[in-house]
Amino acid sequence: MNSLQRHPVDAHSNRPTEFDAVVAGAGFAGLYMLHRLRELGLSVRVFEMGDGVGGTWYWNRYPGARCDVESMQYSYSWSEELQQEWQWTERYPAQAEILRYINHVADRFDLRRDIQLETAVTAARYDENIERWLVETDRGDRVSAKFLIMATGCLSAARVPDMKGLEYFRGKWYHTGDWPHEPVDFTGQRVALIGTGSSGIQAAPVIAAQAAHLYVFQRTPNFTIPAWNEPLPAEKQKEWKKNYAEHRRKARDTRSGILYEYSQRGAFDVSEEERQREFEARWARGGANFTHAFNDLFLSKKSNDTAAEFVRNKIRSIVRDPKVAELLCPHNHPIGTKRICVDTDYYKTFNRDNVTLVDIRHSPIEEITPSGLCTRDGKYELDSLVFATGYDAVTGSILRIDVRGRGGRVLAEKWAEGPRTYLGLMTAGFPNFFIITGPGSPSVLTNVVVSIEQHVEWIAACLRHMKENQEDVIEATPHAENHWVEHVNEVAEKTLFPSANSWYMGANIPGKPRVFLPYVGGFNNYSKICNEVVAENYRGFTFG
Ligand code: NAP
């Protein structure tokens, strides 16, 4: 018997060391998982790196941070009381408001007592003799659990690119995904913003309004649609809440888990005038709804080009300097194949006298100097650097943990050529190891809260099934996994997504395998498959 088994309480901390389940992460996924595990009567320990709950919304405190899914949809649906009582204040929730919400949930459901903060899971090894996971943390915890559940988030391993000289920079530097908790004041400063994805696009207008000068270092321009964020009147909320359950049900029956106006027409089913009218109307309503103007925008390059050109023309009409406008126009990927951004005044920001767009595609950053940075063709004196350079997405937060399954097999080695999972939920050779919104599930292509709820509920139902049938171990079969990986790739190949060098493809991390990470078959279809698997007695899984 392992020593952990003999000492269920740690002699020094007096903390228990044996649990039914360990959950890594206390964001939206970890909190709901904890709640459901408790309902099953299981003992649980959640380890969370931050000194508070909230995951993404705990770390991403950068200026302008805001969700691009509307408030009424980007929230839990599993408690009618919760969804009725919580009041949102804006159409799109700001980071601080979501963090308040998630803290409210932690208190309301008394979740904190099973969460250990400021503790990162560093290693987990499956002991086949005792059929338990032995979990280690950076705080020296050594615990064992029957089930290990990764609620580590798809966008939580922030990435600062290797930049020569960064350690000698005399000013301050920040990453949007690991922002300080105290306010950062850029007043009077010359600030560099590196990266123009969703984070950079949200941060730029807010930093520009404060800084003496903002330099936006752009390698690849992105498409962004205005949010037209506004206060959310109490009356409107009340109306929505009258039919909350029905709205949620309808959302779960869509490809993205979000209520958009999904068109049933192709871009060329209508005349040029009609097409432009549709794009105009959607631009005026704002948000990612724009990309659903026609049902073939992700399938046909020709159709996609019409939407892309519409946005490029908008950029040309907003940005006064034609050279700057042209530089902001994306040409190297179909619209939507990199995550579409949703902004507030992004393009207008480039009309300000204190903002300069720097093209680092043609003149790359060569080094950071003590007082700024040098590109191939220019030298910039700077007080602060802001990296909005993204994440080691979907797999990064799992693989930074040393996970070893049956026979000591290392997960990072198993996934060296790209992640392999069955349904994005489990991976063969790693019994009782679940991933919430893992690779091969719709995750980042959806309203992630909807995907989280579906995964948590699937896992909870599975554990209940095991309890009722006195099963101790569940595992995905290699055969089912192979089929699923093939299916995930096959579906992605039918779309325009793989044509973009996006983080969906792992293309933003040097050396990361080029594999389309999420499942693009649609949330509604995916959850149907998950239900069928259960109905067919957990097809593709074995129990022991
Ligand atoms: P991102 O989309 O990966 O964008 C990173 C940016 O940094 C890109 O413009 C990239 O250029 C640039 N970059 C990376 N390495 C660089 C280097 N070495 N030199 C120069 N530029 C470099 O990251 P993100 O903006 O943090 O967004 C990630 C995801 O988080 C989003 O797609 C979205 O899913 C989520 N998010 C959502 C919201 C929201 O809900 N509103 C807000 C923020 C983030 P290249 O394109 O050339 O690689």
Side-chain angles (χ1 to χ4, degrees):
M1 190 180 256
N2 182 279
S3 62
L4 288 167
Q5 289 282 289
R6 273 185 261 118
H7 301 285
V9 172
D10 182 279
H12 299 292
S13 65
N14 210 26
R15 285 201 293 243
T17 56
E18 280 185 21
F19 301 95
D20 293 320
V22 159
V23 177
F28 268 91
L31 292 188
Y32 184 33
M33 193 74 248
L34 168 59
H35 180 68
R36 295 304 294 250
L37 293 170
R38 272 197 194 156
E39 281 181 348
L40 292 171
L42 302 182
S43 63
V44 189
R45 169 57 38 104
V46 179
F47 292 114
E48 164 55 50
M49 280 168 76
D51 71 1
V53 300
T56 288
W57 302 104
Y58 169 91
W59 298 105
N60 278 267
R61 297 167 190 244
Y62 61 86
R66 186 179 291 286
C67 186
D68 55 13
V69 177
E70 297 190 12
S71 302
M72 298 309 288
Q73 301 198 52
Y74 194 85
S75 49
Y76 288 128
S77 71
W78 48 268
S79 161
E80 179 61 14
E81 296 77 21
L82 173 67
Q83 68 180 7
Q84 289 297 334
E85 74 198 13
W86 183 264
Q87 293 294 319
W88 296 100
T89 65
E90 292 178 279
R91 176 178 173 189
Y92 292 98
Q95 171 271 334
E97 187 162 23
I98 305 175
L99 192 58
R100 269 200 304 283
Y101 167 77
I102 202 152
N103 272 285
H104 168 76
V105 172
D107 291 330
R108 196 189 187 291
F109 296 92
D110 186 25
L111 299 175
R112 296 188 197 275
R113 62 191 155 86
D114 290 324
I115 302 172
Q116 187 174 320
L117 298 172
E118 292 185 274
T119 310
V121 172
T122 51
R125 179 168 66 80
Y126 186 67
D127 185 329
E128 290 175 67
N129 297 321
I130 55 170
E131 294 179 333
R132 291 178 76 81
W133 283 92
L134 309 177
V135 179
E136 297 179 16
T137 75
D138 62 349
R139 287 300 184 100
D141 300 276
R142 302 279 181 276
V143 305
S144 88
K146 188 164 162 182
F147 301 105
L148 175 58
I149 302 169
M150 295 285 111
T152 41
C154 295
L155 294 156
S156 30
R159 181 182 159 267
V160 179
D162 276 340
M163 285 209 177
K164 191 175 148 205
L166 181 58
E167 65 272 35
Y168 304 114
F169 181 60
R170 281 198 301 263
K172 290 211 167 131
W173 66 265
Y174 309 89
H175 189 287
T176 49
D178 189 8
W179 201 261
H181 289 200
E182 18 343 298
V184 175
D185 186 2
F186 291 117
T187 306
Q189 293 195 13
R190 297 155 302 176
V191 181
L193 175 66
I194 302 170
T196 50
S198 300
S199 306
I201 280 174
Q202 288 187 330
V206 185
I207 299 177
Q210 197 179 54
H213 202 95
L214 174 68
Y215 297 90
V216 177
F217 291 86
Q218 173 189 273
R219 190 163 69 181
T220 313
N222 245 313
F223 291 98
T224 175
I225 309 295
W228 308 125
N229 185 42
E230 58 189 0
L232 186 58
E235 264 319 298
K236 209 169 169 183
Q237 252 180 103
K238 213 168 138 191
E239 263 313 296
W240 185 273
K241 285 179 178 177
K242 276 190 196 155
N243 299 310
Y244 224 146
E246 183 59 8
H247 293 313
R248 301 286 198 188
R249 190 195 60 71
K250 282 190 180 148
R252 280 193 288 266
D253 197 22
T254 65
R255 300 182 63 75
S256 61
I258 306 175
L259 289 171
Y260 289 131
E261 300 157 283
Y262 296 91
S263 171
Q264 302 303 322
R265 305 180 298 181
F268 288 96
D269 292 343
V270 300
S271 67
E272 167 70 15
E273 294 81 58
E274 174 66 22
R275 205 161 45 238
Q276 293 306 315
R277 217 175 14 249
E278 186 62 32
F279 287 141
E280 265 315 335
R282 288 187 183 241
W283 180 272
R285 287 198 285 282
N289 186 43
F290 181 86
T291 56
H292 302 285
F294 296 100
N295 65 4
D296 56 354
L297 297 182
F298 291 99
L299 303 173
S300 152
K301 174 76 167 57
K302 194 169 157 225
S303 296
N304 188 288
D305 284 343
T306 64
E309 190 56 18
F310 176 88
V311 175
R312 286 191 286 262
N313 283 333
K314 281 288 177 198
I315 300 171
R316 292 170 187 131
S317 73
I318 298 168
V319 179
R320 284 198 290 270
D321 181 332
K323 275 202 195 118
V324 175
E326 227 29 66
L327 203 51
L328 286 165
C329 284
H331 286 282
N332 81 341
H333 64 280
I335 184 169
T337 56
K338 279 187 164 198
R339 162 70 176 247
I340 192 85
C341 305
V342 176
D343 71 282
T344 297
D345 295 339
Y346 180 64
Y347 294 124
K348 256 166 81 178
T349 297
F350 295 93
N351 291 334
R352 296 177 65 110
D353 294 337
N354 72 332
V355 175
T356 306
L357 181 65
V358 185
D359 175 11
I360 52 170
R361 167 73 57 195
H362 295 106
S363 177
I365 295 173
E366 291 194 327
E367 68 174 319
I368 310 288
T369 64
S371 61
L373 67 75
C374 290
T375 64
R376 199 184 59 201
D377 303 315
K379 196 164 180 283
Y380 300 84
E381 294 295 310
L382 301 163
D383 302 298
S384 293
L385 304 177
V386 175
F387 290 98
T389 44
Y391 300 85
D392 184 352
V394 184
T395 52
S397 63
I398 302 168
L399 293 181
R400 65 186 168 186
I401 301 171
D402 179 10
V403 181
R404 293 166 191 243
R406 268 192 206 290
R409 189 159 189 209
V410 178
L411 185 61
E413 287 171 10
K414 178 180 172 183
W415 286 4
E417 304 294 314
R420 303 187 69 77
T421 69
Y422 180 36
L423 301 171
L425 276 162
M426 295 197 87
T427 184
F430 294 74
N432 290 358
F433 174 79
F434 295 94
I435 309 166
I436 300 175
T437 63
S441 75
S443 65
V444 289
L445 297 176
T446 66
N447 175 355
V448 81
V449 182
V450 172
S451 283
I452 284 169
E453 289 190 336
Q454 186 254 340
H455 265 192
V456 167
E457 285 159 17
W458 193 96
I459 294 167
C462 173
L463 300 196
R464 182 183 296 279
H465 169 89
M466 290 175 72
K467 201 172 168 186
E468 286 168 0
N469 292 279
Q470 281 143 35
E471 305 285 10
D472 285 320
V473 179
I474 178 171
E475 194 171 346
T477 67
H479 179 74
E481 180 171 289
N482 290 342
H483 270 283
W484 184 251
V485 171
E486 261 172 45
H487 176 61
V488 169
N489 291 331
E490 208 175 76
V491 178
E493 287 305 328
K494 287 187 189 141
T495 70
L496 297 173
F497 278 101
S499 63
N501 280 328
S502 66
W503 61 256
Y504 293 144
M505 290 289 290
N508 63 327
I509 303 292
K512 189 166 174 170
R514 296 271 174 125
V515 174
F516 194 72
L517 295 167
Y519 176 59
V520 75
F523 174 81
N524 45 357
N525 300 323
Y526 169 81
S527 47
K528 219 179 276 163
I529 296 170
C530 290
N531 294 343
E532 282 163 13
V533 163
V534 174
E536 290 171 36
N537 211 8
Y538 288 88
R539 183 185 74 216
F541 292 99
T542 55
F543 290 98

